Amino acid sequence: MKDNNDMPGHLARRFQQIAVAVFLAEVEDAGFDLTPVQYAALATIKANPGLDQVTLAGLIAYDRTTITGVIDRLVQKGLAERRPSNRDRRARELEITDEGRRTLRKITPVVESAQRIILRGLSAKESEELMRLLRKAIAAGNELSRAPLRDAQA
Amino acid sequence: MKDNNDMPGHLARRFQQIAVAVFLAEVEDAGFDLTPVQYAALATIKANPGLDQVTLAGLIAYDRTTITGVIDRLVQKGLAERRPSNRDRRARELEITDEGRRTLRKITPVVESAQRIILRGLSAKESEELMRLLRKAIAAGNELSRAPLRDAQA
DNA sequence: GGATATTGATCAGTATGCTGACGATCAGTA
DNA sequence: TACTGATCGTCAGCATACTGATCAATATCC
């Protein structure tokens, strides 16, 4: 009988579980209330002002139906704004607020420290190798999930 | 600005996302309706007949509040049974049914094939190395999540 | 033995993630 | 221009995951 520890699927779930727990603990310790998903969305909105939700979803590989709720919460916390687009009346343009910018600036070092904690069992060299292998496996499987990573369009 | 691809947390989420999608697609193709979580729970119940829910949760690193719903669905599908324990009247003893055994037998090769698909971008050597590094990182972070892995007690 | 602490299971509440559907809108074409 | 198909955002519904609480039952300690 195959052990759980021989199943990449199980290891993936467990690694992700720990990563989320560490992220939330560090962020809360620093006095913030932001999930990993919300952080990634906010950082991506800041880097791509005025983008629409489908583009945002593609940039961070979220499902477009999940984005709706995430943005709801960012807006509700006053970190982002959602307004109808003039170019395409179906679309919503997303913008980070000043408050969002402040939060992002203060929280980024915390997030980076969390990333180090997630890998605390590995040497620097092992960490690099793990990330390289994950990137490679992810690239090969990108199209297999409903929410693949997509480049921004012009 | 740090790229998403430099964040182990983001890579963890993405890898897990693909792993779940592959698992569900393969299992559905084979004509079954079972999630990764339900599969792991069912296989563990079979390997440890009569175990209680907390022990099961520890063996596969689930939160105990999540287990309740997972077992509900296994029972509802007729794959497992839940009955009050005689030794400890707070506890529920879990048992796999004949139907559960049949399902598990037929589905196991499908699950193993899914594991190969998840790693299809990597060579055999790289796959081994990825799993080794994940195991190491997970071991170091085990206590950081609310649902750490636990050995079965005597 | 009896007070206290702990434990097993569940629940309510919240946040991802997904499937499949829908209305509104846009783009391309006959 | 009218039609057709695709796209954007949202929704309902389901399944993980977690926090924190509660109830019942067991363990522990004095």
Side-chain angles (χ1 to χ4, degrees):
Chain A
M1 152 83 186
K2 235 175 154 55
D3 191 85
N4 274 335
N5 276 1
D6 296 325
M7 304 269 220
H10 178 262
L11 297 174
R13 180 183 149 281
R14 191 80 188 94
F15 188 53
Q16 147 82 348
Q17 183 182 41
I18 290 168
V20 171
V22 168
F23 184 102
L24 291 175
E26 291 300 303
V27 164
E28 192 190 342
D29 273 8
F32 293 95
D33 170 33
L34 211 64
T35 67
V37 165
Q38 289 164 16
Y39 170 80
L42 192 57
T44 304
I45 292 171
K46 186 194 167 202
N48 303 269
L51 85 174
D52 65 297
Q53 296 185 191
V54 166
T55 303
L56 170 59
L59 287 171
I60 48 188
Y62 291 5
D63 193 280
R64 73 190 192 287
T65 65
T66 304
I67 280 284
T68 300
V70 174
I71 308 269
D72 282 350
R73 287 179 279 279
L74 287 178
V75 168
Q76 202 241 316
K77 290 177 188 177
L79 305 177
E81 281 178 5
R82 170 160 49 188
R83 51 163 196 272
S85 164
N86 292 327
R87 303 187 311 277
D88 184 341
R89 302 219 312 276
R90 290 169 304 180
R92 307 279 183 274
E93 287 177 0
L94 304 173
E95 210 66 63
I96 190 170
T97 63
D98 288 346
E99 173 72 16
R101 244 180 283 269
R102 264 194 302 278
T103 297
L104 208 49
R105 193 165 49 239
K106 283 190 270 185
I107 214 179
T108 295
V110 176
V111 171
E112 286 171 4
S113 145
Q115 305 304 304
R116 284 190 295 275
I117 295 175
I118 292 167
L119 298 177
R120 71 177 183 179
L122 305 183
S123 68
K125 194 169 181 154
E126 285 175 327
S127 297
E128 265 316 308
E129 181 66 1
L130 174 59
M131 290 202 284
R132 183 183 78 80
L133 293 170
L134 283 175
R135 277 191 288 264
K136 193 170 176 183
I138 289 166
N142 189 45
E143 300 306 322
L144 301 180
S145 81
R146 167 158 147 166
L149 197 69
R150 297 273 180 240
D151 286 343
Q153 299 304 320
Chain B
M1 152 85 186
K2 235 175 153 58
D3 190 85
N4 274 335
N5 276 1
D6 297 325
M7 303 271 219
H10 179 261
L11 298 174
R13 179 184 150 279
R14 191 80 189 95
F15 187 52
Q16 147 82 349
Q17 183 182 42
I18 290 168
V20 171
V22 169
F23 184 104
L24 291 176
E26 291 300 303
V27 165
E28 192 190 343
D29 274 7
F32 293 95
D33 170 32
L34 210 64
T35 66
V37 166
Q38 289 164 16
Y39 170 80
L42 192 57
T44 305
I45 291 171
K46 185 194 168 201
N48 303 268
L51 85 173
D52 65 298
Q53 296 185 191
V54 166
T55 304
L56 170 59
L59 286 171
I60 48 188
Y62 291 6
D63 192 280
R64 72 190 191 288
T65 64
T66 304
I67 279 284
T68 300
V70 174
I71 308 269
D72 281 351
R73 286 178 279 280
L74 287 178
V75 168
Q76 203 242 316
K77 289 176 188 176
L79 305 177
E81 281 177 5
R82 170 160 48 188
R83 49 162 199 271
S85 164
N86 291 326
R87 300 187 313 276
D88 184 339
R89 302 219 311 275
R90 290 168 303 182
R92 306 279 183 275
E93 287 178 359
L94 304 174
E95 211 65 65
I96 190 170
T97 64
D98 288 345
E99 173 72 17
R101 244 180 282 269
R102 263 193 302 277
T103 297
L104 208 49
R105 192 165 49 239
K106 283 190 269 186
I107 215 178
T108 295
V110 176
V111 170
E112 286 172 4
S113 145
Q115 305 304 304
R116 283 190 295 275
I117 295 175
I118 291 166
L119 298 177
R120 69 177 185 181
L122 305 184
S123 69
K125 195 167 182 160
E126 286 175 327
S127 296
E128 264 317 308
E129 181 65 1
L130 175 59
M131 290 203 283
R132 183 184 77 81
L133 293 171
L134 283 175
R135 277 191 289 263
K136 194 170 176 184
I138 289 165
N142 189 46
E143 300 305 321
L144 301 179
S145 80
R146 167 159 146 164
L149 197 70
R150 297 273 181 241
D151 286 343
Q153 299 303 321

